[in-house]
Amino acid sequence: MMRNILVVPGLAILLSACINLAPDYVRPAAPVPAVWSQSSKQGTVQDGADAIAWHRFFMDPRLREVIELTLANNRDLRVAVLNIERARGQYQIQDAARYPALGAAADSSVRRMPASQGASDDAAIARSQSVQLGFNAYELDFFGRLKNLSAAALATYQFNVETRRSIQISLVAEVASAWLTLAADNERLLLARDTLKSLQISYDLSQRSHAIGATSGLDLSTAQASVEAAQVDLGDFSSRVQRDLNALNLLAGAGVPMHLLPDAIPQASAALLATPAELSSELLLGRPDVLAAEQTLMAANADIGAARAAFFPSITLTAAGGAASSSLAGLFKPGSGAWSFLPSINIPIFNAGRNRASLDVAKVNKEIEIANYEKAIQIAFREVADALAERATLDQRLGAQQRLVEASDKSYRLSEARYRSGIDSYLNSLVAERSWYGARQNLITLRLLEQNNRINLYKAMGGGWSSS
């Protein structure tokens, strides 16, 4: 008899999940052009961005160490990993509902029946011992309700996996950008310090010249104003450097060692991705954020199946088998076998439209997730398109800015020489100096922009996940 009872769960599993009422999942078409029309010069890296490990993409060894430190200590990434573990547990809980939960129970009871309620004039003592193995309220999943709930939970788990990948990609790009920003501001700080030193020397000379009547009061005041302006810049960039360092430490989740901090922007901290003339937008479908949006859509699709199944009858089974006896000694003797089988059916008749409303909500949720999925693709397309558009003119802008710096430097030196010779006023020399200073500051900004563009293009194409 015990074997017959244990066969019931297996038969129930075979009979369940005969029908799946969820709509067939069809991936929505990408609402973007098939290719990008803009492209940049061929770079040095020929593989797809998602196939390039970040430690191959980033060339500066100090930056690679900072990224490793960040991946080990960043709290957002740690929370993302824990979210995966939680989603895995929730999926296992939901999926377990598809199978019978077997359990064993042993009962022992003693009851005294008073003489007034018994068949004889004496009080009676009733004893009962039982041991049973069975399952309770197992639902036969004829219409796929439990299967679809499990599929939705699995999609939620996959969503968290993709979200973790997306967070790492963004984090790698963000910490690299923060490291380069610190490098740029350190370079600006050094330039401001050197400029202040030079202006202070000129101001001291102007003071001595003014004392002997060789320099006007206007020139002296102008020189002093230049020194004060340089002092303001020095304080501003000093503050920026400290804020940059604070931001980098926060991203890293720990204090970044001083030997890993940059003093200036490296010539090439990151590789330049190759971008052929025809770049397919299908590359976007492999981005983790797009895959995460698709997993949410798949979960919403499965929820429709679960909502449809609520319109149909549900059948649950409770069964147990074992042995029962009035004494412990006779519990396992021949003839002590006992079993129970309690099937039940629940037929929805009237629930004030709750099932219909639940189905409508599930359908609307799917439409919302379709829109979110399409928007994720559009955002990804724009990020790549923006990076390519910026890339197309960066080399030209950098070359022009470098030539502007050289020309401004020459103009400043000539103006300074003319002022020293008494040919020009100090004002002309000051204007040339400010133009040279501004040109050098703008060159630092453009170099930072160029390095960040490499990183942004790498990130937009889904790079930064793999480290091997």
Side-chain angles (χ1 to χ4, degrees), residues 412-425:
Y412 168 59
R413 295 186 185 281
L414 290 174
S415 296
E416 182 73 8
R418 289 171 65 85
Y419 167 67
R420 298 299 176 201
S421 302
I423 300 175
D424 274 344
S425 68

Side-chain angles (χ1 to χ4, degrees), residues 9 12-13 16 87-102 135-141 145-154:
I13 294 174
S16 64
R88 180 188 289 115
Q90 291 171 338
Y91 163 66
Q92 292 172 342
I93 293 171
Q94 182 61 61
D95 192 60
R98 299 175 57 195
Y99 306 97
L102 295 176
F135 56 91
N136 182 48
Y138 166 63
E139 180 178 346
L140 296 178
D141 197 22
R145 187 184 76 88
L146 297 177
K147 181 178 181 180
N148 281 305
L149 290 176
S150 177
L154 178 59

Side-chain angles (χ1 to χ4, degrees), residues 36 40 128 144 291 333 428:
W36 284 279
S40 65
S128 175
L291 292 174
K333 289 183 177 181
N428 290 336

Side-chain angles (χ1 to χ4, degrees), residues 396-417:
Q396 178 184 358
R397 293 162 64 188
L398 273 170
Q401 189 66 38
Q402 182 62 52
R403 292 190 295 272
L404 177 59
V405 168
E406 293 169 359
S408 298
D409 178 57
K410 184 177 180 180
S411 176
Y412 168 59
R413 295 186 185 281
L414 290 174
S415 296
E416 182 73 8

